[in-house]
Amino acid sequence: MNLTKILAISGKPGLYELKVQTRTGFVAESLIDGKKITVNLKSNVSLLSEISIYTYEGEKPLTEVMQQIAVKENKGQAISHKEDNATLSAYFKQILPDYDEERVYPSDIKKVLNWYNTLQAKGLVTDLAPAVEEPKEEAPAAAEKPKKAPAAKKAPAKKAATKKEE
């Protein structure tokens, strides 16, 4: 499993795993207690694979940040998200030295550490690496799409045929 099916649902504690999509929303299972809930399309839901952390150079995907935490902690638990803000900021500075301190709030750091510890407790930290490799696989697929351009060349041939008919 990677972060592509892990969800954070606004107003609901913890993380959820996407199980099934339905016409009106989807079914998600809590990583904390295993209970399944239905979520409608109006709910504010974030995929962890789509979240990034602001840095001075741009944005860093959450998957990469969590991998850096895993490397630092040897895939063990990180510090508690309940530590004071100064301790959390100092810890996060070790993980991501160039994070933008003005745009990344202490509450964001708490969420990241809480999410990491939840995933680590479920044994999902070791599977974070494939989520980073997937976008690299998509890049060649995007390069293949321009090869479909010869289909566009057929359109001028049709115009030529219509001129002959006139």
Side-chain angles (χ1 to χ4, degrees), residues 22 74 99 161:
T22 64
N74 294 324
Y99 85 93

Side-chain angles (χ1 to χ4, degrees), residues 120-159:
Q120 194 279 334
K122 285 293 184 182
L124 301 176
V125 170
T126 57
D127 297 330
L128 293 178
V132 174
E133 294 174 8
E134 284 182 20
K136 293 178 185 175
E137 292 174 8
E138 292 175 8
E144 292 174 10
K145 288 183 180 178
K147 291 181 183 177
K148 294 182 181 178
K153 291 180 182 177
K154 292 179 183 176
K158 289 180 183 177
K159 288 181 182 176

Side-chain angles (χ1 to χ4, degrees), residues 8-12 24-26 37-46:
I9 303 171
S10 181
K12 305 272 185 197
T24 59
F26 55 89
I37 61 167
T38 56
V39 182
N40 64 23
L41 296 175
K42 294 180 182 178
S43 298
N44 189 7
V45 177
S46 300

Side-chain angles (χ1 to χ4, degrees), residues 83-143:
E83 295 286 336
D84 63 290
N85 291 347
T87 305
L88 292 173
S89 294
Y91 181 82
F92 208 68
K93 198 75 159 161
Q94 293 173 357
I95 302 300
L96 193 61
D98 63 337
Y99 85 93
D100 190 342
E101 296 176 35
E102 294 178 4
R103 299 194 314 181
V104 178
Y105 300 109
S107 61
D108 299 328
I109 296 172
K110 288 179 182 183
K111 281 182 192 175
V112 169
L113 292 174
N114 188 17
W115 291 343
Y116 172 82
N117 286 334
T118 301
L119 292 171
Q120 194 279 334
K122 285 293 184 182
L124 301 176
V125 170
T126 57
D127 297 330
L128 293 178
V132 174
E133 294 174 8
E134 284 182 20
K136 293 178 185 175
E137 292 174 8
E138 292 175 8

